[in-house]
Each structure stands twice: as structure tokens, then as C-alpha cells.
Amino acid sequence: MSSKVLIVAEHADGRLNPAIAKCMRCARTLPDAQVSVAVLAADGGAVAAQAAALEGVAEVLRVDHPANAHPIASILAPQVAQLAPPFTHVLGPTTTFGKDLMPRVAALLDVPQISDIMAVVNARCFRRPIYAANAIATVEVAADTKIVATVRTASFEAVAAAATPAAVRAVSTTAQLPTYTRFVSVSAPHADRPDLQSARRIISGGRGLGSADNFALLYRVADKLGAAVGASRAAVDAGYVRNELQVGQTGKIVAPELYIAVGISGAIQHLTGIKDARTIVAINKDGEAPIFEVADIGLVGDLFEILPELERLLAARQARAQ
Amino acid sequence: MKRILVGIKRVADSSTRVRVKPDGSGVALDGVKMSINPFDEIALEEALRIKERGAADEVVVASVGAADWQQQLRTALAMGADRALLVQSDAPLESLDVARILLQLVKREQPFAVILGKQAIDDDNSQTGPMLAALWERPQATFASKIELREGTAVVTREVDAGLEVLEVELPAVFTTDLRLNEPRYVKLPNILQAKKKPLEVLTLASLGIGPRARVKLVRVEPPPVRSKGIAVKTAAELVEALQKRGVI
């Protein structure tokens, strides 16, 4: 049995979200997969070209419609549902975009959804985290049921670029698009720093930082490392940083090569968000903090002494390399 | 009657550390403290605040679960909900079936807003809200951190990956809650006693005309892989050296 897979592209400002290259890896692990990517946009030319350039994409379906200018689930879902019939699998990323859209698609298709696929066992059987990834469930979808799922992007490496780009086909749907949801605004992305979910290195701060101003210490080390900056829920709740920096079960799940947790005790819901990091470093004054149970390298001490020292050492190292 | 419907799920308390059963059939819940799913508690708090502002007349809480879920519905009544509905099902149901059941309750109760948690902290599925909105053919505003009711619409701030998004949705609509929407109140003892007198209606799946379909089989549950034990360093210099040795800087 071959798998005919449709991936719903997430994009903003004409850029394909890096999560889609990871969904593509998941799709390609399905048996005998033939993968299409759907780009729903007001003018999807640039995004379609980026999707077509991903290794393994057979075809890009470009659905241009003025109503698709913003990713509104109630507007996108009926269009995706109408594209779905030829496909055995319809996938989206486990991001706020995918978590908003895919269950709505599944309900329109009257099929269940598999959330947060971390591994493919076979075409109908998947592994996924439950209880904040304190347990891993293997689930199997009944035969003759279309599979709608979200993909845990932290569990899959991005695919490479294709040697030759796939064809882009313009399609239109006859789906009825509701007008009961209006987009008002979205806060501008902060382009000055690497994005948390695609960053190779992340340094995160917790309540131990003590104030919003003290996060400057963290930013300075981040600059030396070329790292993204994250935060624990406690730091966000305390108002030290913006909410979109939150890493954890209810924030962002990240999978960098290097994750440095500074002044973070390591609540279960935070650890859930960082389990897929290759190397975890913990810096905390409390040697008994749970973060040390998962850390590959632990440093017990005062972060207000360690961070400036770390910044100085990294700067010196950079100077030597030049 | 301006009514808000709130969904309540009973889950293992967020402070408990769950263990996988040795036979891999699931997670051991015997003797584990059970609570209202934290996001559902936020949903209820929001509904109560809307009512207290005079923008709603009644808050109805609903669960789809086993008989012992009444305990959490009583807690919800003690928090301030006016009525509770339990659609009794001993077997766990898939989100789409829960959404189908909620749709029947929506038809019965005619709420102008349904507020649900963005996810349950047991299965972490994050599906029911958008599924209900799809079946109901109404707008959804998921991951809400602010809900502002206007005449016939709601302006909702959503916590999305990029930051904060603002949508305006026509009512009725489905809302799902994020952490920073509010801080739920504590239940006071007199309210617990009062809650015993509030109506709690038990319904059967059959009375709603719903047959669960069970199309996703749980094959097994395993503990997550354990990370190998790490090393301890004493200074920032040792840390930099260890990072270099691992090739990560």
C-alpha cells in the first residue's frame, strides 16, 4: 500500500515555516510515500517555490484566495478538507498553526486526529508523547480511516533541498468560506534573533534571573553563541520576557543541539519542552534542582558570576578564532 | 438566558508524577490525586468572570466521563458554576466523539460561548475545541489569553508561536484557554457545602444518540527513554571546555 500524503504548509510573510521541512521528513518515513504540499495563501507564489524546493516533494498545490491572507482555521479547514479525498494522510506541524487547524480539518472529514507524531511505526501506527512526554503511547488508526495528524517537529530533522524543484499546480476549491472570523492583528516577529523552534542553540532563563533587566546578561551570552533566547513559564509569568519565549509542555517544544538552562529549576512541564535537545546544560545555584537530573553538563553556582564569565570566555574564544 | 458552556475533564493532578503500568497497558492512576484539568479550570474562571461582569446569566459545566467525574463537577459548582451535566461513559472516548457529544449539549443549552481548555494534560491532544467549532459550524478562538466581549462579537488575543494574534469572532463561538487568560480562584468551604445543592444531571450516550466509534487503538504505553547521566563542572571555564569537547560550540 502506498501512502499519499498531503502536508499543509505553514507560512508567514512569504516565508515557508521551517517546520514544514520536518513534516516532510516524517511524511517520507511513511511506506512508499508520495508527498504533496498545499500552500493556501492570498498570493502563494514565493511560498510554493520554497515548498517545491524541499527534497521528496512530488507536487505543490497552490490555492490562492484573498481570504487566505491570514491563517484562520475556519477559513482554511474547508479548503483543506476539499483537497483531502485523494490522500491517505493529511499532516500539519504541531505548532499553534497546526494545533488550531488540523483538528478542524479532521472533524470536517469525520475522522479522528493523531496529535504530535514523534515516530512512524507503519502507515497506520504511530508513537506520540502523552502526560507531558512522561509516557510514550503507540496508537493505531483503524483501516479505511483517513489519517489526519500533527507532527512533532522536534522529533524529525529537516529534509535537504531537492536537486530539481517539484511542479507547482494552481488549484481552486469550491469550499464555502465563512466570514464570521476577522483577522485584526499579529505582533510583528522579532527578526533580530534566531527563532526558538529552528535554532541550533538556545539559552533559556528562569525565575533565578530575578528581573527583566537581568535577562540582558543572558542576551549577551546568546549573542556570543548565536543562540536563541527562551524562558521558563515562571520567568514569563513573572513578566521578565514575552510569552512567545516560553519553552515547555504548554509553550514551545524545542530540539536544539545545545540547550543552556540558567536559573531554571526544571519543572516537569519545562523538561518536556527540552527533552529532544542534543546537549542540555544546567546552571543553577541549587544543586538539588530537578534540572540537573536531565542535564548532560551541570554547573552549580551563582549565575550572576557565571554568565559574565561565560560571556568573557566565549568572546576570548571568538577573538582567537579570528 | 445568556449562557456559557464550559467543558471539564478529570485528569491526574499536575503535581503528580505518573508511572507507566508494567504491562504497558496504560498509566497507573490507582490512588493518584485527580483534579480538574488546569486549562479547564481557567475556562471556568473566565466564564465566571464574564457572568460576574453581567455579560452572562448562567454558567453550565459539562463532562464526558465515568461516574466518579462527578467529584470534579462538584468542585466546578463550588467554584461558582450554576449547573453541571455529566454525560456518562465508562470507556475513554476520542476527541471527535467528545466533540459530537458537546455539540448535542450545545444544541440543548444554546450557549453564546463554549469555553474549553486548550489541551488536557493527560493525553495532550489539543483537539476538542476546534473539532466542536467545525461540527457546530461556528468560529473558534484557540489559545486565548484575553477575551473581550462586544455586541455580538468577541475580540480575542491568542498566544501563537509568532507572539500575540488578535481575532474578532462572531458569537456564538468556541474559545480555548491558554495559561495567561486568568488565575482561577480558590474554592471556599461554604461554597463546597452550597455546591451539594446545585443541580447535577447525568445523561447517557444513548439519550444523546451518540455511539462512540473507537477508531484509534492504544497499542501500548511505555516510559520515555532515560537520558544518560551527565557530568558536573565547577567553573565557567570548565563548562566552555566541556562544550568544546562535545563539539557543540
Side-chain angles (χ1 to χ4, degrees):
Chain A
M1 254 297 271
S2 68
S3 311
K4 287 204 70 184
V5 188
L6 180 67
I7 297 175
V8 185
E10 176 174 359
H11 58 90
D13 304 323
R15 280 193 306 274
L16 184 69
N17 191 298
I20 300 308
K22 297 178 178 186
C23 287
M24 190 59 212
R25 172 79 61 189
C26 173
R28 293 186 74 191
T29 58
L30 289 161
D32 193 15
Q34 203 187 328
V35 188
S36 302
V37 178
V39 175
L40 292 87
D43 175 2
V47 176
Q50 292 160 51
L54 294 179
E55 189 181 26
V57 173
E59 187 179 39
V60 175
L61 305 176
R62 178 179 165 185
V63 189
D64 278 9
H65 192 291
N68 294 344
H70 301 288
I72 295 173
S74 63
I75 291 171
L76 301 183
Q79 300 174 71
V80 175
Q82 211 176 81
L83 296 174
F87 299 95
T88 56
H89 298 70
V90 183
L91 305 181
T94 313
T95 55
T96 52
F97 167 82
K99 289 194 285 188
D100 190 42
L101 173 63
M102 300 312 286
R104 189 151 183 138
V105 172
L108 292 179
L109 296 170
D110 194 28
V111 295
Q113 177 183 291
I114 304 300
S115 293
D116 221 14
I117 292 177
M118 59 190 292
V120 172
V121 178
N122 63 47
R124 316 204 67 82
C125 189
F126 309 93
R127 284 160 59 81
R128 61 174 301 266
I130 56 174
Y131 286 94
N134 285 300
I136 309 299
T138 301
V139 293
E140 190 172 32
V141 182
D144 305 324
T145 303
K146 193 185 298 296
I147 291 165
V148 173
T150 57
V151 175
R152 184 178 178 87
T153 53
S155 300
F156 297 91
E157 304 247 343
V159 295
T164 19
V168 176
R169 182 157 63 95
V171 294
S172 56
T173 75
T174 56
Q176 282 283 338
L177 306 185
T179 55
Y180 47 49
T181 309
R182 282 176 292 279
F183 174 85
V184 178
S185 65
V186 68
S187 51
H190 298 267
D192 51 332
R193 299 230 151 244
D195 172 62
L196 265 178
Q197 272 155 318
S198 48
R200 289 175 55 236
R201 295 169 187 161
I202 296 172
I203 181 164
S204 281
R207 200 190 280 284
L209 266 292
S211 74
D213 289 344
N214 288 339
F215 257 78
L217 296 170
L218 209 69
Y219 276 101
R220 285 207 286 273
V221 177
D223 287 340
K224 295 287 174 293
L225 286 168
V229 170
S232 70
R233 179 183 162 186
V236 174
D237 285 351
Y240 299 169
V241 288
R242 300 183 307 272
N243 66 287
E244 66 264 30
L245 298 191
Q246 185 181 321
V247 173
Q249 181 188 15
T250 58
K252 287 181 176 140
I253 310 287
V254 298
E257 285 172 23
L258 174 62
Y259 186 87
I260 306 180
V262 183
I264 293 177
S265 62
I268 291 173
Q269 64 93 14
H270 185 78
L271 301 184
T272 303
I274 66 172
K275 273 182 178 158
D276 296 309
R278 198 78 49 84
T279 296
I280 297 175
V281 175
I283 301 173
N284 202 303
K285 67 174 190 297
D286 174 12
E288 301 298 313
I291 188 77
F292 288 110
E293 288 169 32
V294 300
D296 300 290
I297 306 171
L299 173 52
V300 179
D302 181 357
L303 65 91
F304 296 105
E305 287 167 19
I306 293 166
L307 285 178
E309 176 68 2
L310 200 54
E311 183 198 346
R312 193 185 61 76
L313 289 163
L314 292 168
R317 194 172 161 271
Q318 263 174 1
R320 275 201 306 277
Q322 274 161 9
Chain B
M1 179 81 93
K2 288 192 294 182
R3 189 173 285 137
I4 302 176
L5 183 68
V6 174
I8 300 283
K9 188 176 185 186
R10 170 184 159 104
V11 298
D13 190 85
S14 60
S15 65
T16 57
R17 207 158 195 168
V18 298
R19 280 191 318 278
V20 171
K21 287 184 190 166
D23 66 359
S25 65
V27 163
L29 292 176
D30 290 345
V32 169
K33 184 187 172 199
M34 303 301 281
S35 298
I36 298 177
N37 177 47
F39 291 103
D40 302 349
E41 216 174 6
I42 294 170
L44 175 55
E45 177 64 35
E46 193 66 15
L48 295 174
R49 289 184 190 189
I50 291 169
K51 186 186 160 190
E52 283 158 5
R53 286 200 299 267
D57 304 314
E58 190 184 41
V59 174
V60 179
V61 287
S63 281
V64 183
D68 50 8
W69 289 39
Q70 288 193 29
Q71 210 183 321
Q72 279 64 41
L73 286 173
R74 286 286 170 208
T75 307
L77 292 170
M79 270 180 76
D82 299 292
R83 284 193 288 130
L85 303 170
L86 173 66
V87 180
Q88 204 164 313
S89 166
D90 293 328
L93 296 177
E94 289 163 15
S95 308
L96 185 56
D97 285 333
V98 174
R100 288 164 68 218
I101 292 162
L102 290 177
L103 179 67
Q104 295 309 310
L105 299 183
V106 161
K107 285 179 178 167
R108 217 180 89 141
E109 302 289 344
Q110 301 286 322
F112 72 92
V114 178
I115 314 182
L116 306 173
K118 73 164 178 178
Q119 75 193 78
I121 60 164
D122 52 2
D123 56 30
D124 284 329
N125 267 327
S126 201
Q127 299 174 355
T128 306
M131 284 177 166
L132 171 62
L135 300 179
W136 193 14
E137 299 179 50
R138 292 306 306 166
Q140 68 191 48
T142 53
F143 323 130
S145 63
K146 191 176 170 199
I147 299 174
E148 209 182 313
L149 292 177
R150 305 227 172 126
E151 198 59 47
T153 70
V155 176
V156 182
T157 304
R158 307 177 56 229
E159 295 202 7
V160 297
D161 291 337
L164 298 175
E165 183 191 78
V166 181
L167 291 181
E168 183 172 21
V169 295
E170 289 175 13
L171 299 172
V174 176
F175 304 86
T176 76
T177 60
D178 219 315
L179 279 174
R180 280 167 282 273
L181 183 59
N182 60 51
E183 249 181 73
R185 66 196 64 190
Y186 288 103
V187 176
K188 297 190 195 89
L189 186 63
N191 298 352
I192 294 173
L193 300 174
Q194 261 173 22
K196 288 184 179 155
K197 294 188 207 114
K198 289 184 178 176
L200 192 162
E201 189 183 348
V202 180
L203 303 161
T204 62
L205 291 176
S207 73
L208 297 174
I210 302 282
R213 292 178 292 193
R215 289 180 289 180
V216 181
K217 189 173 93 182
L218 180 64
V219 180
R220 69 177 165 275
V221 176
E222 295 155 280
V226 189
R227 282 187 92 96
S228 52
K229 187 135 178 59
I231 59 160
V233 295
K234 289 203 168 54
T235 63
E238 281 182 36
L239 172 58
V240 171
E241 199 179 312
L243 291 174
Q244 275 168 339
K245 215 178 275 176
R246 282 177 157 257
V248 287
I249 62 168

